Amino acid sequence: MDLFSHSDDKQKAETRILELRVQIEHHNKRYHEDESPEISDTEYDMLFAELQKLEQEYPEYKAAESPTQKVGAQVKEGFKTAEHQLPMLSLGNAFSREDMEEFIQRIQRYLNMSDFPELVAEHKIDGLSCALHYQNGVLVKALTRGDGKIGEDITENVKTIHNVPQKLKGDTLPEFVEVRGEIHMYREDFDAFNAKQAKAGKKVFANPRNAAAGSVRQLNPEVTAERPLSFFGYAFGVKDESLSHLKNHSEELEIIKDFGFRLPESVKVLKNLDDLFKNYEQILKNRKAGDYLGQKAYAIDGVVYKVNDLTLQKRLGFVARAPRWAIAHKFPSEQATTRLNAIDIQIGRTGVATPVARLEPVNVSGVVVSNATLHNEDYINERDIRIGDTVFVERAGDVIPKVVSVVPQMRLDHTQKFVFPKHCPSCQSPLVRLEGEAAYRCENHFACPAQLEESLVHFVSKQAFDIDGVGEKQIKLFLELGFIKNPADIFTLLNYKEKLENLEGFGEKSVQKMLQSIEESKHISLPRFIISLGIPLIGAQLAEDLSAFYLSLDNLIDAMADDVKKQELLNQDAFGQKILDSLCAYFTQEQNLQIIKALQNAGVVIEAYEPPQIEDNIFNGKTIVLTGTLVTMKRDEAKNMLKSKGAKVSGSVSSKTDFVIAGESAGSKLKKAEELGIAILTEEEFKKLL
Ligand SMILES: [Zn+2]
């Protein structure tokens, strides 16, 4: 045995341990106190795990002041503090199946049992833990986790969170109970909030948790009140005798729900390892697909497991900073930090010029990311994102990866501001930014190579001309062979019949079928024709509304060239200035009018508009008001659904209102509806009726 190398290793370990402690303390401070992290959660977890491992191997260097022995954050100056009667610890982490197996074995060893200890699995919400104290059912105090023993008193701030009950529901309430849970932001609330911050030149947060923490730890509750915070309950802390009959954690959760708290829909009781891993994979899959079991998307960074039996929980107790009876199996972080090397412009189907970040390739939850969207010019400027910066990249669900923010502390000297180009990189025509719009566009449409292929694919698609046998692959090929140069050429493909039949993958029969489908598609409804043009912002619903208003394409084109007629459109409920601008820009461009003419010359006939038939249903012809926050769908979605059922959606309640659909925290409109005796539907009832 080589004694020298052994002591060498030991020395190296000691140095590394000290190094890691300093690094982790630094990141703790950035994360918990300043709410501006410099590294992603995964990178942090890796440092932490390395330190834990070294301290286990070299127990002589263990120390009480090591971050592995401490919980969370220091108390922020300016806050009153209070002690937790029951410590509020953080959870140990598992990163692999082996870690989870070890967790189970540890429990079995400790309790000297061989059975699988029944576990409750819950989403690990990426927010800020908080303890709420209820005296006779009334919220009297709210504390942050703090260092686990002493937390910050954030009572006034928490009172502003819309779904934290000020009073618990129920007839017999405990004299005292502490409900613990997570303050968080739903994804869409976070995105909207961050965009608002950026626009105002204020701090942009890297993730929903930092935003939630930064919002609730405000000295002025009025600031907190303006932030879109929400709350999920997850456990009891201290509870009085009246709840001592509860045997299981899953029963606790039921009571918490009955008290009026929202719980994530994911709670599951598990009886063996197989189910545990299956459940984990399912949650991971759902997160990827953006499926939150009927709720709006929120940030989850893993699955929490707790021993269900409360007596066993008590017996298992705690080690250092974490309970023995619970663990968090973490997901790979959806974020990473990397260098932004360059910014390019991509022209999309509708001509939108999107800046794309070229990144130093980086692994984000298992996928190497080297490109990410920067959305638009304002997004870059508001966040002061420069070429050469270190940035946070995020890949959440199936959404395209995006640059979230820069890491300002990591900015080097020679970063470069990005100047948005003046010309389309594909056709060199000027890029135009319409008033009130964030995006630059190339307005060349079918005449811009970057837009032509995708425009044509859209043109033949189901919702437009609906031509069988022509899709992306065929369009690409026909363009390459020079059979088509614009949409009108599709209707003269008959001229290439023989050549087509001799192409690989095309038989006589399939060419025959394709040409027949092209022939049949020539008679097209007005809404479909409008969709086929690919006008920015004009989707199926608006195309339908436009058709109903103008009845013919000529009327629409005429109106767009006439200042008085143009304004008439704005008086319609469905159309705003942006949509009008987009229509005007399209129908006043000579090239676009020529394309329409060419289509008509090629035999396209636009049929006279016929309003769609609506099947009889309870909403048809009714006037409906939406109020409060809908949990399972966006308001626009609800509006469109109602419209498609023939309902009129109005903004205010009057005696003419037939129904009011009331979401969470509905206010004055709901009151007025009650006064007027109008039928009120909950979100659930509404969905059932749909
Ligand atoms: Zn172009």
Side-chain angles (χ1 to χ4, degrees), residues 245-300:
H245 62 285
L246 297 174
K247 297 233 169 349
N248 288 321
H249 175 60
S250 50
E251 293 170 45
E252 286 192 333
L253 290 176
E254 283 305 314
I255 306 266
I256 289 172
K257 206 170 171 182
D258 292 343
F259 279 165
F261 287 92
R262 183 162 277 284
L263 258 52
E265 295 293 326
S266 60
V267 178
K268 215 167 201 154
V269 177
L270 302 167
K271 297 186 192 292
N272 60 60
L273 260 183
D274 252 10
D275 287 351
L276 185 147
F277 290 132
K278 259 187 220 147
N279 181 58
Y280 177 86
E281 291 303 328
Q282 187 59 47
I283 293 177
L284 195 56
K285 216 166 113 193
N286 287 350
R287 180 177 82 149
K288 226 180 195 161
D291 181 0
Y292 290 77
L293 308 172
Q295 297 196 9
K296 291 194 290 184
Y298 46 86
I300 40 181

Side-chain angles (χ1 to χ4, degrees), residues 349 454-468 470-472 475 490 521 524 528 531-532:
R349 176 178 65 74
E454 281 196 68
S455 297
L456 288 172
V457 172
H458 172 77
F459 183 84
V460 298
S461 69
K462 268 220 137 35
Q463 50 173 338
F465 270 79
D466 190 17
I467 298 174
D468 279 342
V470 186
E472 201 178 331
I475 292 286
I490 289 174
S521 76
I524 188 167
R528 276 171 178 274
I531 293 170
S532 79

Side-chain angles (χ1 to χ4, degrees), residues 347 351 423-431 441-445 447-451:
I347 305 291
H423 294 91
C424 169
S426 178
C427 73
Q428 312 311 323
S429 74
L431 291 175
R441 292 171 191 284
C442 165
E443 304 229 303
N444 240 348
H445 297 285
C448 173
Q451 296 172 66

